[in-house]
Amino acid sequence: MIQEQRAKVLSALEPRVRPEVFRAWCRDLDFIEVEENVVHVPAPNAFYRDWLERDLRRPLEEAFLAAFGRVPELVFRIREEAVDEPDPPDVPAPAPPPARPAEPLKSELALNPSFTFETFVAGPTNRLAHAAAVAVSEAPGRDHNPLFIHGGVGLGKTHLLQAVCRATLARNPFARILYLSCEHFVNDYITSMQKKHFESFRARYRGSDLLVIDDVHFLAGKPGSEEEFFHTFNALHGTQRQIVLSSDSPPRDIRTLSERLVSRFLSGCVARVDAPTFEMRVAILRRKAEMRSLDLPADVAAFVASRVQTNIRELDGAVNRLAFYRSLAGRPLDLALAQEALHDLASSPAPAQLRPAQVVEAVARYYGKKPQELQSRGWNKSISRARQVAMFLCKRHTSLSFAELGKTFDRDHSTVLYAVRHIEELARRDSSLKADVETLSRQLGV
Ligand code: ADP
Ligand code: MG
């Protein structure tokens, strides 16, 4: 995007965010127009990207609308070099958002400042995982080694892993902690192979006191990385250094994982996190609202908790949405305003359970395309519209999360999130699209 257009977006964005947020986070934003109507916004790391996705998507969409009269598909991505090069020397990690106090942290630890034990709500569905995580941070390498936390998407695994790092660091500021996603580990391993930097790779991993690897199921089907991980594991475990792992499934269910690694994982503490109970959901909503200084009446909390049931990340999203509507409306939050803000949740009381394949097939047939075309990477305008409608209907009528739908459509979750919102908004203005969606819903029997 040329400088002039970039400046236009930034000046439209400036009044839409708090001044200190704009200064710290937004001034250096880049916009890369990858094709007509698709704009990539690179971020130096995952933490920054998630923040952009969570807090900046709406203001940016509004800024684009104000600047150019249209809203492109915004895709927040980690900058390519940052993925290839695990320790980018010249890309400084952004400061944490100013709303939350910055804490001293080892520079290589990109932790989300709100993922602490204090902000974590423990209850019957995550009690063991929480207690084990606390115990590990109090006495690393002793009773629960490795600690293996597993469960579905958005149920607090990453939150707990990062809380362990933060609490360990608070007790011992000199602890050598490595926290990273398994994807990062695999990339790091590949880079060290390419550059023949094996020694420094090994020294780095085997020299840590606490190794925390998120989403370890990513090792499946990568025998080279798995082998290297196995040796790293043994080196650390053998010297009583703590290992904490998370995964989307229990050790035995991780496809293609070797038996020797499965048995290592099972040798410590395996704890599962499940979907929260109603009371936990209310408590989580209260905690999230408090963190955003949002007054959340009891009836509103109960309303949201009864509609968002399985994914805690969506509870978080609901609180963001409520805060946004509250600031737009300029009046205190009440049930009526909450219903308006969350109308899409309110209007689908008991979503019929369809399989994504059924939806994709029906949409493809309707638009005269092949189902594979909708699930492929190809870009062309008519396919792209059909794909977005399919994503929208899948989100509405299946129980899959954005991340899971991303897998179905070979896209990342932010693309699905955008598509769903985009179609939702467009259908309100465009009656022929609305009719398409209604006909399709009827055909699907929902
Ligand atoms: P996972 O890694 O299991 O997919 P995350 O740890 O990223 O899920 O959690 C998703 C969101 O839900 C985060 O914003 C996190 O803070 C929040 N969350 C999850 N579990 C809890 C909990 N028990 N208490 C408070 N917040 C939670
Ligand atoms: Mg996670």
Side-chain angles (χ1 to χ4, degrees), residues 117-373:
F117 284 131
E118 290 71 41
T119 59
F120 190 85
V121 173
T125 64
N126 59 17
R127 192 148 354 252
L128 174 62
H130 173 253
V134 171
V136 157
S137 64
E138 286 172 353
R142 220 179 53 196
D143 298 330
H144 309 292
N145 201 13
L147 169 59
F148 187 102
I149 298 177
H150 68 93
V153 176
L155 296 182
K157 302 182 296 297
T158 297
H159 188 138
L160 278 177
L161 260 49
Q162 294 200 8
V164 170
C165 296
R166 203 171 271 276
T168 306
L169 207 54
R171 286 178 163 267
N172 174 8
F174 300 104
R176 287 165 302 175
I177 301 178
L178 268 185
Y179 165 81
L180 67 163
S181 67
C182 188
E183 188 172 355
H184 189 140
F185 177 85
V186 170
N187 284 339
D188 216 3
Y189 171 69
I190 294 170
T191 310
S192 78
M193 260 188 355
Q194 283 166 345
K195 299 192 175 163
K196 305 204 168 37
H197 285 167
F198 257 130
E199 288 317 309
S200 63
F201 173 88
R202 290 197 173 140
R204 204 151 87 82
Y205 284 95
R206 296 181 192 184
S208 56
D209 301 314
L210 169 63
L211 176 66
V212 182
I213 298 203
D214 208 353
D215 295 325
V216 77
H217 54 267
F218 193 76
L219 281 180
K222 303 180 184 67
S225 306
E226 188 186 319
E227 166 102 24
E228 188 56 39
F229 181 74
F230 177 73
H231 296 301
T232 305
F233 184 103
N234 288 340
L236 293 175
H237 196 260
T239 49
Q240 278 79 50
R241 263 122 11 117
Q242 179 70 43
I243 300 158
V244 183
L245 306 165
S246 82
S247 157
D248 66 358
S249 43
R252 281 229 177 279
D253 294 356
I254 303 178
R255 212 170 23 90
T256 75
L257 205 64
S258 67
E259 182 55 36
R260 59 182 189 172
L261 204 48
V262 171
S263 73
R264 294 291 185 293
F265 289 169
L266 291 171
S267 69
C269 172
V270 177
R272 177 187 163 114
V273 286
D274 271 311
T277 61
F278 177 80
E279 291 76 10
M280 285 166 75
R281 298 199 294 276
V282 170
I284 291 169
L285 283 166
R286 286 209 193 121
R287 188 90 35 114
K288 302 272 175 201
E290 215 174 87
M291 284 160 65
R292 302 181 124 261
S293 315
L294 176 72
D295 248 337
L296 188 73
D299 56 346
V300 174
F303 164 74
V304 181
S306 63
R307 279 176 172 72
V308 181
Q309 303 198 341
T310 49
N311 188 326
I312 300 176
R313 192 167 294 134
E314 287 178 14
L315 284 178
D316 218 8
V319 174
N320 282 346
R321 191 105 70 99
L322 291 175
F324 179 68
Y325 268 69
R326 194 218 158 289
S327 69
L328 274 189
R331 64 182 166 91
L333 187 61
D334 59 16
L335 195 56
L337 191 59
Q339 279 166 339
E340 190 188 326
L342 306 174
H343 62 93
D344 45 347
L345 301 178
S347 62
S348 51
Q353 292 300 301
L354 290 171
R355 281 177 300 110
Q358 284 172 283
V359 179
V360 171
E361 218 178 281
V363 175
R365 199 177 335 111
Y366 186 82
Y367 285 100
K369 310 282 174 213
K370 296 197 194 78
Q372 303 86 297
E373 286 180 308

